[in-house]
């Protein structure tokens, strides 16, 4: 049996981060967390991450800066962006301009998140093949 996919959750709100971490762990994924984009980059440098779920608004390095950095490095790790500031225009822009896999409003519902994680990881394995 293969190891569970590793999901990095990036959010500056400890309660949001813990709640999402619990949901994603319950789906059978190995979860790592980071409080902002800088910490996320350190986690990425330390080992393989299969998927990133990130908040947009954070101190130090926010979600948009994190996406920019990933694009600049040619990192193809799929990213799901979470935010409490829902706007269709912003969502489309982020998905298109920064190659984010998807955009969700907080709080992320497990019924939406579960198939989304599967789809992002399936697409990632196709890209790698």
């Amino acid at each position: 049996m293969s190891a569970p996919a590793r999901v990095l959750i990036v959010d500056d709100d400890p309660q949001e981060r813990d709640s999402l971490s619990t949901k994603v762990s319950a789906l059978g994924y190995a979860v790592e967390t980071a409080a902002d984009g800088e910490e996320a980059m350190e986690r990425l440098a330390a080992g393989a991450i299969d998927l990133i779920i990130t908040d947009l608004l954070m101190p130090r390095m926010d979600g948009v800066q994190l996406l920019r950095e990933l694009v600049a490095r040619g990192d193809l790790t799929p990213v799901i962006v979470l935010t409490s500031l829902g706007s269709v225009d912003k969502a489309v822009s982020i998905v298109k301009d920064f190659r984010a896999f998807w955009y969700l409003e907080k709080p992320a519902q497990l019924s939406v998140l579960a198939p989304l994680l599967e789809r992002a990881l399936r697409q990632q394995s196709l890209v790698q093949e």
Side-chain angles (χ1 to χ4, degrees), residues 33-58:
T33 61
D36 60 40
E38 287 184 18
E39 199 178 320
M41 292 308 296
E42 291 167 15
R43 296 270 186 284
L44 286 163
I49 296 292
D50 300 300
L51 179 81
I52 300 167
I53 301 173
T54 186
D55 187 21
L56 271 187
L57 300 176
M58 298 179 286

Side-chain angles (χ1 to χ4, degrees), residues 91-112:
V92 170
S93 161
I94 288 168
V95 169
K96 197 175 94 198
D97 298 344
F98 299 110
R99 297 193 320 237
F101 182 78
W102 206 257
Y103 184 97
L104 284 178
E105 284 189 60
K106 287 180 177 181
Q109 301 301 315
L110 204 54
S111 60
V112 175

Side-chain angles (χ1 to χ4, degrees), residues 79-96:
V79 179
I80 295 171
V81 174
L82 286 178
T83 188
S84 48
L85 307 172
S87 134
V88 173
D89 291 344
K90 189 168 191 174
V92 170
S93 161
I94 288 168
V95 169
K96 197 175 94 198

Side-chain angles (χ1 to χ4, degrees), residues 5-83:
R6 293 174 50 159
V7 178
L8 175 60
I9 296 171
V10 189
D11 197 318
D12 60 316
D13 180 329
Q15 286 180 308
E16 249 341 294
R17 201 169 53 235
D18 291 347
S19 168
L20 195 53
S21 183
T22 301
K23 289 176 185 176
V24 173
S25 293
L27 293 170
Y29 298 103
V31 175
E32 291 196 32
T33 61
D36 60 40
E38 287 184 18
E39 199 178 320
M41 292 308 296
E42 291 167 15
R43 296 270 186 284
L44 286 163
I49 296 292
D50 300 300
L51 179 81
I52 300 167
I53 301 173
T54 186
D55 187 21
L56 271 187
L57 300 176
M58 298 179 286
R60 294 200 311 166
M61 181 190 278
D62 68 17
V64 173
Q65 291 169 306
L66 174 60
L67 285 164
R68 268 197 195 111
E69 187 64 30
L70 292 170
V71 168
R73 293 172 182 224
D75 188 323
L76 299 175
T77 304
V79 179
I80 295 171
V81 174
L82 286 178
T83 188

